[in-house]
Amino acid sequence: VDNPAGADAVFVVGSRRWHAHRVVLAASTASDVFAAMFERSGAQMQEAAERRAAETAEGRPKKRTRRAAAATSPGAAGSGGGGAGGAGAGWSTAPLVEIVLEDLEPEIFGYILRELYGVPQLNIPNEHIVGVLVAAGRFLLQPLRMRCVRQLVRDMDNDTVWQLFTEVVPLVCGGAAEGAEARDPAAAALEGACAFHILEQLARTRPVLPVVL
């Protein structure tokens, strides 16, 4: 994970740069998510190349380095030189592509990459568990989401269950599609475990009134 050797993608997350290999990302369940990211990046590179071409056509061409020319050439954005709109644009053999993720913490994305590379993650720190759970849904990593839910349920107690039920469950369910058929299993499992724990807690604390027949 985060090995620059042979890397053809780099994710900029906050102040951290994570190196990755598109062949690994393409083989994962998140392939469509990453392909869309690379396609958008390729389109932006293509647009930049066309803008520079228009500028040089109006005046004297600006001096550019060989690396900059290769990085912004139309062929770099899509496979076969077809640009970002060509077939397989998201999974081209372009040079190093940089993707900026502004809405994730570096540590959270690290857990996502480790999951994609098959690195065992037995226990995620409590301060990151909810963030990883939500991010795993974004990247379609259902096994990681279920492990996060099992860890939350395992560590759940009377002091944390209400926070999980009122804050975390809506956050997790927010990313699920509408409709009972599309209900996210991880969200349903967490909601059910919280509800059961709350009912069990109420049964213990409230006296049972006798029934007079």
Side-chain angles (χ1 to χ4, degrees), residues 1-210:
V1 179
D2 195 26
N3 184 4
D8 52 6
V10 59
F11 293 89
V12 181
V13 190
S15 59
R16 180 72 185 270
R17 296 171 64 88
W18 292 92
H19 293 83
H21 306 78
R22 276 179 275 179
V23 64
V24 175
L25 305 181
S28 70
T29 57
S31 60
D32 290 343
V33 178
F34 286 111
M37 291 182 182
F38 291 126
E39 189 168 356
R40 286 194 299 269
S41 177
Q44 292 170 357
M45 293 172 65
Q46 176 76 8
E47 182 181 351
E50 293 174 352
R51 185 168 58 250
R52 289 190 180 93
E55 291 174 354
T56 56
E58 296 175 356
R60 185 177 179 178
K62 297 180 181 179
K63 187 176 180 180
R64 303 167 61 203
T65 64
R66 185 175 298 177
R67 175 179 290 184
T72 58
S73 63
S79 61
W91 298 116
S92 69
T93 55
L96 188 69
V97 175
E98 185 174 285
I99 305 293
V100 179
L101 299 177
E102 298 178 346
D103 52 350
L104 278 179
E105 297 180 7
E107 295 81 3
I108 299 300
F109 188 69
Y111 289 106
I112 297 300
L113 272 189
R114 293 185 190 97
E115 180 73 11
L116 294 171
Y117 277 78
V119 178
Q121 302 180 95
L122 301 180
N123 198 52
I124 298 173
N126 291 334
E127 61 267 25
H128 296 149
I129 186 70
V130 174
V132 174
L133 173 59
V134 175
R138 171 179 174 180
F139 290 98
L140 308 179
L141 300 175
Q142 192 63 26
L144 179 58
R145 278 171 70 83
M146 292 304 299
R147 290 204 303 275
C148 289
V149 167
R150 286 194 293 269
Q151 182 175 328
L152 285 170
V153 173
R154 181 197 67 194
D155 299 335
M156 184 169 54
D157 55 32
N158 294 344
D159 296 327
T160 61
V161 63
W162 287 101
Q163 182 181 7
L164 287 174
F165 190 69
T166 59
E167 298 180 14
V168 178
V169 168
L171 185 64
V172 175
C173 293
E178 296 182 359
E181 296 78 10
R183 185 69 183 278
D184 176 42
L190 181 59
E191 185 178 24
C194 288
F196 180 82
H197 191 100
I198 291 172
L199 291 175
E200 189 177 42
Q201 182 182 7
L202 291 174
R204 289 174 180 171
T205 56
R206 294 188 177 184
V208 178
L209 298 177

